[in-house]
Every structure is written in C-alpha cells, then in structure tokens.
Amino acid sequence: MKSHSLKFLRIVVAVVALLALTWLFVDFTGAAAVRLAWLAKIQLVPVLLAVNVVAILILALLTLVFGRLYCSVICPLGITQDIVIWLRRVFSSKKNRRLGLYRFTPEHKAWRYGFLGLFIVVAVLGLISLVPMSFAGILDPYSIYGRIAGQGIVPLWRAGASAVAEAQAANGNYLFAGEVPAALANFNIAVSVVAAVTFIIVAVFAIRTGRGYCNTVCPVGTILGFLSRFSLLRPLIDESKCNRCGSCGRKCKAKCIDTKNHVIDLSRCVVCLDCINNCTQGAISYGFRRKTVKKAVAAESTTSADKTEKTDSSRRAFLVGTAIVAGAAAASAADKVTDGGLAPIKAKKRHKDAAPAVPAGAISLRHFRSHCTACQLCISECPNNVLRPGTSLDGFMQPVMVFTDGFCRTDCNRCSQVCPTGALRPISVEEKTAWKIGTAVVDPEICISAAYGQACGNCVRHCPAEAISMVKGENGHMRPVVNESICIGCGNCEYHCPAGRAGQLSSNKAAIYVNGIEVHQKI
C-alpha cells in the first residue's frame, strides 16, 4: 500500500464515522441507538466527564502511537472542517490550488492555552454546580456538532421523511404513517442560534485558516497536542530529497510545516497525510521516529536504504490504528424498535410553576446539570418528543421533560443508553419503572370532572403506575387524586388530559401536570 492509499483509507474511515454518528442523531427507529451509541461514547470530552478509564487510555494510546489521528478520523467537527476545506479547494482557482492556500505560522500559544484554561475553569464550575456543564459544552467539538445535527440536520431529515411517508400514504402504503416525528418537534430557537453561530465561526475558521479552529480554540486539540508531540509515528522529512519547493507547507491545512527549517509541529499536525501526496520529490513519509533527531520539534531525516522497511512498518501501524476506530462497527446487539402509534392531541401550554423533570438515570437534577454538555443526542433519540432543550440559565440548552406533546414511555430507555457523558446512567426498562422522577399535581379549578362534573378519568386510565384514582369531592363531583408514593412522573396523565382543548374552558393547560424532583427516588 502506497502513501496515497494511506490517505484514502483515512478519508474512507472518517467519512464512515461521520455518517454513522450523524445517523445516530437522525434515526428515529431506535436501531442506531443500539448499534452506534459507542461512537458518541469515544469522544474525548464525554469520555472525561464519564470518567471512562478504558476509553481514556485507548485515546491516549492512539495519540501516543499515531499522533492526532483522533482529530481527522473520530472527531465529527474535525471531519466537518475537512469537508469545508475541501470545498474551498474545489471552488478555488487553478492557480491558487497549485500555489497552495495556506502558509506556515508559529503556534499561537497565548490563544491556544487561554481557551484551554477557559474551558477547564468553566468545566470545573460545572462539576461543582455553579454553572451548567452546557456552558463548557459550547467549546466541546462533539457537542458543537451535536447541536448542529440536532437543530439543523434532524429537522430537515424529518421533514423529508414526513413528505415521503405522506406521499406513500396517499398511494395506499401506510408502512411509515405516524412513525416519523414532527420536523420541528424539538426545535428551539435559542439552541438553534447557538448552533448556527458556532457553525459559522468554525466554517469561517476552516475557510480562512484551515484547521485554525482546532489549533487555536478547540480544547480537545490542545489536550491531544500535548501527547502528539511524543507520538511514535509521525510525518518525516528526508532533507536529502527535499528541494525546498515549499509545496507541503503551502498546502498544509494545519499550517504546521516549516519548510525552511524542515520542522513539523507535531502538536498541531492532525495526521491528514496531505503533505505526503503533495511532495513531488517523495521527501515526506509517515513512519517511526528515530533516535537521531535533527530538529528539536519533530522533523527527522530518513535514508533511502531503509525507506521500504519503514514504509511497510508505518503502513501496518496505520492499518492497526484505523482498525481500532472502524473495527467496533462490527459489534451489534439485538434491535429494539419501538413505535408510537399515538393519537394526536392538540398541544397544551406548560404550567409555569412546574419544576423541571429530567429522565430516569439522571440520579439527581444537580448531577444531570453538572455532566450534560447539551449535545442534544438524547433529545434527537426520544421517540415521543418529551425531551426539549431548556432555556433557563441554570440549565441552558440541557434537556428537560415537557409532557404537553408526549409522555415518557415505560418501555423506552433510549436516552440513558446513548448519553455519552454520564449525565444519564444506563438504566434497563425494568429498572426504569421503579424510579420516581416527578410527581403529578392536580389543578381542580380546570379539571373537566372536578370543576364541571363531566365524566372523564383520562388520567386514571392512562396511568401505568395506577397512582391516580377518582374520588368524590366536596361539590359532589368526581375528581382525580394522586398517590404520590407510587407516582413515577412519566407524564402520561398530563399528555392525555383533555383540559386545555375543551370548548367550555378558557384554560390552555392540562388540569394535571408533573413537577420534577431534585433527587430521584427508587420506589
């Protein structure tokens, strides 16, 4: 396998990884949650927050062996930037493509370590619950891509899928009818603005500076840069073959090749292998570092006598590295597909005094807010559209449960299975029904039965915990009463309450609603 084949292999693995992670966000059947959740759980910041020691060691070893391969193969935002950079090259003039779009620049240490320090400070404040961890998530590349996918790609995908489902239904095929969630069900203007602004900033960085965002702003790039300086495999410059044309430096999107001094800054190199293909003299190779180092940073000379041996060794090592990333795709588990099949009910307004509820597996509201980076993955995965991005400052962009348009199904645990940061601990379907996340509260003033004496009992019929019963009130009307000791806070009652759409009632809210609790309780 020649050098250009190594680059082709890297591109293939990166594209597959990006498509798979994107599918994890857009899939509404639950199949991706079973098969592809590991892709979110190997992202560096989520791995650190979840204290996933095994994954931390694997990523550290991957970087110490291959350099910052993570940034070119695993990180979705890094791969997205590569696509933007490629598009810039495609639409550039032939002259600019020939001359190169970039020039070597020294490391911007003040900015680089300044942003890393800011990220660490905000993350620590999040861990001690002074601010929500979502503020630190603004700089996390995985969470950035998650918001872009959740607020941009997901609505477009669902709109297209809905159009196809409707067209099929018109032709008598109802296979997908009622299965596709509403396109804008999880759309939130505040989160969308954050996602759009961040995408524009990252795209501008990519167009103007190549991988400048990764090597100036991104804390993950800086953290991995500390390790990649000592990587076993690295780009090598053979000074005996180099004619100092400068082509590699002008076309290096990381701007890390000093062609005058034959030095490569390994802390910024993202192992894209473009330089190997761009060198017409064959002076650059990717292989093991040597004991005789000519330059202090990273550039090392090689001899033609052992070039074949080193190329073979680097090829084998690179294949092993990509196998670490791509091999896990072969793992799969039994598919659990759940369907909604819910009759549409007109949306109601949320009670203003309702405390926020978070899913089972969160342990507590404090734990959830101190670990959630607001990547929006659980929101995209929720089959009943119960999870919505929060807008309050104490939980900005983090998901909260809103039961006006859906309820939390007792047979679904998707959110806890896909959460990569540990904000939601994995919980089985059987365990979920034993956890109390909130308590239903009745407002008798707008209850159809209690206030108007009409036969209803919707809340009683739909309560899976059988925590609601009808008793006679002082006015002689039957009214619902909640047994707080066994109510789990699933929101079935609030969603199915007809109050808020009954003609004789001025209220646009349900007569029964769920208040979340600070610390979840096991019943």
Side-chain angles (χ1 to χ4, degrees), residues 10 47 63 81 105 160 198 200 227-228 231 253 259 265 269 276 324 334 337 340 361 376 394 398 401 444 448 453 455:
R10 177 195 65 80
V47 161
T63 306
Q81 289 177 79
T105 57
T198 311
I200 292 171
L227 298 178
S228 63
S231 62
K253 58 191 174 188
T259 54
D265 184 354
C269 174
I276 298 177
I324 292 175
V337 180
Q376 312 295 298
D394 58 347
Q398 295 177 334
M401 305 181 81
I448 291 178

Side-chain angles (χ1 to χ4, degrees), residues 17 21 39 42-43 59 62 69-76 79 325:
L21 188 61
L39 279 169
I42 61 171
Q43 304 299 321
L59 292 178
L62 183 72
L69 189 66
Y70 173 97
C71 299
S72 289
V73 174
I74 299 176
C75 177
I79 302 170
V325 178

